[in-house]
Amino acid sequence: MILDFDDLERGCFVSGFQWLDRPGYELHFAMMLDDDTAFVLRIEKAAAIHAADDWLASWAPEVFGPVQASGITASVESPLKQLIASAGSVEEDSSPNLILPVSSVFGEWRVVSHPQTEVVTNYNLPVMIGASALAVVLVLAGVFGFTQQLQAVRLAEQRVSFVNRVSHELRTPMTNILLNVDLLEDSVEESNRIAAKRLGLVREEAGRLSRLLENVLCFSRRDKLKDTQDEPGQTLRAVPCSMVEMIDAVLDQFGPTLSRKHIRVVRGDLSGSDLVVADRDALMQIISNLISNVEKYAAAGGSLEFVMGVSEMNDAAVLSVIDSGPGIPRSDAAKVFRPFERLSEATKEGVSGTGLGLAIARDLAESMNGSLEIDFERRGEGACFVLTLPKTAKNIVSIAS
Amino acid sequence: MKILIAEDDPVSLDSIEACLSGEGFSTLLAKNGNEAIQMWEAEKPDLVCLDIMMPEKDGFEVCRHIRESDKSLPILFLSAKNEEIDVVVGLELGADDFIRKPFGKHELIARIRSVLRRSDKGGGDSEIQSFRIRDLVTVYPSRLCAVRESSGEEIELSPREISILGFLHEHVGEAVQRDQIFDHCWGIDYYPESRTLDQHMVRLRKRLELDPANPEIVETVRGVGYRIR
């Protein structure tokens, strides 16, 4: 190994020895023995650091013992940033409050001390009591609110299922009433006008009750199905049927009521093709809900008109039901078909109803691939409901979809 | 025409029975599913009306039981619940139709008639031959109807009406006494009120005659009864 004499010279060996540490060279220790002779040691830096670390590691516990006992957290780091020894557990992210560097040509050993984390708790009794009381109140309020909510939901569910059950139960006595009114009518002599009239009224009311029942059940069912999408919908059996025939059948039921209210039935142009593919019961329910609407809102002495037509594509039959009532403002277009919604809630005296009829009628129409709309383009007074139903069979979807 | 009715509500059972027997159907009444099966085995009815919710065996079970050995017997379900109808339609029980409660007499009769027509049973008693009345109408007992000769229009008739027309036709030209008609068409045990027959005739004429006020097919013979000329 050749040493640059300048290096040796520059150090002048003032203290009789010199460390030679130049980048690119290994570490050397040189000592002048006399004017001509120099003693040079080549040192492996890493090995020296390791040796020092090992010695520190074996020595440190002895020193750190009392340190640890005093509750101080301290550690020694080697120049290679390794932790050699420690007293107490050092949290990695805690910043040290004291660093003692010990530097040498081999690098820097550091003795690091971390602040002692000590929780100081002041037990202030009044504050304590206040805070716990507040916490208890909050928890109780939460529990109370939750149980109230739960109870309300359960109660609502119970009510719905109760209404549902009762409505189902009503069907049997309703059937018995209808059958016996029919039987009674058969045995009342035609000459007995008073009995016939009263019976007619009983039949009308029974019919009204049946329709109401059907609407309530239809709606609660639809509602239930909207919650649970997996159930099959109300079974609709689409068969070819004549709209005019259905209108006549429904008008049979409503005839007495309409004539009592002096509502004139106008059979407009019914020559259009009236054959549609629909569920007969559902179609009858739609038409009877529409007529029931007219019966309620069209003024006494007014008229109710039916007009048949076809759609533009000629693939559907279109039935317009026109009344001479106050009509429906365009702004209420969406409202009319919303369940429980009734226009002019308070102003219409004597008008009864659940507010379900039109919502159900539209639902049923749509589930048979048809539609129910209000025609605002039509001139003249009164409302015009337009029922469109396909002429040919497509897949009939369940009422829930 | 024997119709078995299975219904656990006694008032419904009685009312349905009254409606059907009034139209001239004979009825078998069962209060539960087991009774229904026993009666079906013993009496072999032409049609079965089944309520669904019944004690012992429900309507579905009765229907399945019947279908195991009889595929063609017309079966009509009387249902109080939409859910039940889903099952009737969905389960391939082999029912011919269902009728939703609440229903009235006319709806019930119409549904029974249409089920009878669709089934291969035809309708009424197929042993009775069709007969013609004065070139005006032909009565088809098996199809429960009459056809007007002039227009081809079909007129629905109840078994009772067919029985009356048939009896009068047997005695064509004679004035048949009211009591005789009762005995033949209602049965000797039946004591009808005097106007029952007249009311039947009024209803029949409304449909059968072109001008019910001046009947051509069935004439009234004052003090005696009725006559087909």
Side-chain angles (χ1 to χ4, degrees), chain B residues 85-86 115 150 206:
Chain B
I85 291 165
D86 288 344
V115 169
S150 55
K206 269 187 191 165

Side-chain angles (χ1 to χ4, degrees), chain A residues 208 254 257-258 261 263 291-298:
Chain A
R208 194 163 98 176
F254 277 93
T257 318
L258 292 174
K261 290 202 165 185
I263 295 174
I291 297 179
S292 162
N293 193 58
V294 174
E295 178 230 313
K296 282 173 197 152
Y297 293 97

Side-chain angles (χ1 to χ4, degrees), chain B residues 167 175-182 197 224-226:
Chain B
F167 188 58
V176 183
Q177 286 184 12
R178 306 162 64 91
D179 287 352
Q180 282 179 288
I181 299 175
F182 270 127
L197 178 59
V224 184
Y226 296 96

